[in-house]
Each structure stands twice: as C-alpha cells, then as structure tokens.
Amino acid sequence: MSYTVRPATPADRSGIVALHKAAAVTPGALARTPEEVTPDYGDYALACDICLVAVEADATVVGEIHAKRETVALFAHVLGGLTVAVHPDRQGQGIGSKLFEALIGWARAQEPAILRIELAAGAGNPGAVRLYERLGFQHEGRQVARGRLPDGRFEDDILMGMLL
Ligand SMILES: CC(C)(COP(=O)(O)OP(=O)(O)OC[C@H]1O[C@@H](n2cnc3c(N)ncnc32)[C@H](O)[C@@H]1OP(=O)(O)O)[C@@H](O)C(=O)NCCC(=O)NCCS
C-alpha cells in the first residue's frame, strides 16, 4: 500500500502512540515496552525539533521518526535523541529508509547548520544496525550493559554517528 512521508501534526498523536505500541511488542527492538508507550510519549515526539510520519491514504501512521537538536551551544550542531519505528506489518518495505532520507534532507537544510546526527541501537537489533550502516552511519563505540532486558540479561548499546 502506498504511503506519504510528511511532518507530523497534533492529529497524528494517537497514531504515533499506536504505532510505537505495536512496534514495541517485538523484543529487543525499541527501548520502551508497550506499557511504557503512553499518550505523553506522543506529545514528546511531536515536540521534538523534527517529527516525521509515514501515513497511508486513510491517515494510518505506519512509520515515525523523531530527533532533537542539542541546546547547549557546544553541541548545537548535533541532532540526537533519535528514535524510529515502522509498524511490524510494514517493516522491510523501505519505509524506515524513506523516513531517514527525509530526516537527513531536513537536517541538511537547517540554519544554523546541523553537522552531525547520532543514534544508539541495542546490540540485539542487528537489522537496525545494518540499516544504519547502509545509510552511512559509522560505528563510534559501545556502551556495555547499557540496557537490562526483562529476563535480567544485560545488552550493550551500539553508538553510531553520521557527519553531514
Ligand atoms: C528498524 C526499522 C525502523 C527499519 O525500518 P524498515 O522500514 O523496516 O527498513 P527498510 O525497509 O527501509 O530497510 C530494510 C532494512 O532494515 C533492517 N531491518 C531492521 N529491522 C527489520 C525488520 N524487522 N524487517 C526488515 N528489515 C529490517 C534491515 O537491515 C533491512 O535491510 P536488509 O533488507 O538489507 O536486511 C524497523 O524495522 C522497525 O521499526 N523496527 C522495530 C523498531 C526498531 O528496531 N527501531 C530502531 C531502534 S534502534
């Protein structure tokens, strides 16, 4: 089914929350559990400097990406706090790549310039890491035992960055 990528509006809030709840069901994907995806999370995403959605013709949100520009002057060229999710039924169809393409295009057009985009992925999410590598993100380090899974096991975070 076809979809459009566009800036999110407040009308997308419940769609964003529903999408993240659905994507959070897959273990090892998003940091939040489905229960942790609250309506407030939709507000948080909408308040970011960039929040883009992929929507179908009937306005169903099937993908979302958001990120924040750092506010401290030293880091003001950095776009971080990036989260991306595509509905499990629509993964592997290019939607995540299109959302990143639009986000990177937006970042390149910002004044003052954004010169760096950074993100982190769980080491147990190799598919996402592969996508980020393909998009041009470089491996920058590893945070050991950054995450703790419901069964008590620890998981490292892989830090990645892209210079524009
Ligand atoms: C990671 C994610 C955003 C990628 O979006 P997408 O629309 O599935 O990605 P695209 O179709 O544009 O690109 C496909 C690539 O994404 C990666 N990928 C990650 N998870 C995938 C999945 N469940 N299904 C298919 N591809 C996936 C693969 O590297 C794939 O490349 P390949 O075909 O060479 O193996 C999406 O799969 C998702 O929402 N996953 C769950 C949430 C998540 O992991 N978010 C990132 C947290 S760091």
Side-chain angles (χ1 to χ4, degrees):
M1 202 182 290
S2 69
Y3 62 89
T4 308
V5 171
R6 59 158 172 77
T9 73
D12 297 313
R13 179 173 172 263
S14 58
I16 291 171
V17 171
L19 160 70
H20 277 263
K21 272 188 184 293
V25 168
T26 310
L30 293 169
R32 284 175 177 73
T33 62
E35 297 72 37
E36 288 173 310
V37 181
T38 60
D40 285 353
Y41 186 67
D43 290 331
Y44 169 80
L46 285 164
C48 283
D49 294 300
I50 179 75
C51 179
L52 301 170
V53 283
V55 288
E56 292 180 336
D58 66 358
T60 304
V61 178
V62 292
E64 189 267 343
I65 191 168
H66 60 259
K68 279 173 115 161
R69 197 174 181 142
E70 296 286 335
T71 50
V72 173
L74 182 67
F75 308 120
H77 61 290
V78 177
L79 188 69
L82 189 151
T83 297
V84 59
V86 172
H87 193 281
D89 296 344
R90 300 297 307 271
Q91 290 172 8
Q93 298 171 19
I95 297 174
S97 302
K98 278 273 179 302
L99 285 165
F100 265 101
E101 221 171 85
L103 177 123
I104 293 166
W106 171 86
R108 287 191 197 282
Q110 295 311 293
E111 194 54 51
I114 289 173
L115 301 171
R116 174 183 161 83
I117 304 176
E118 60 188 25
L119 55 78
N125 196 357
V129 171
R130 218 169 40 243
L131 170 64
Y132 304 151
E133 287 169 346
R134 186 154 50 77
L135 289 163
F137 284 87
Q138 305 290 316
H139 285 255
E140 296 187 330
R142 194 172 182 106
Q143 291 179 309
V144 176
R146 173 88 166 88
R148 190 157 196 199
L149 304 171
D151 64 7
R153 280 181 305 121
F154 291 99
E155 184 180 80
D156 297 351
D157 252 3
I158 308 226
L159 303 178
M160 303 184 80
M162 173 192 284
L163 296 183
L164 299 183

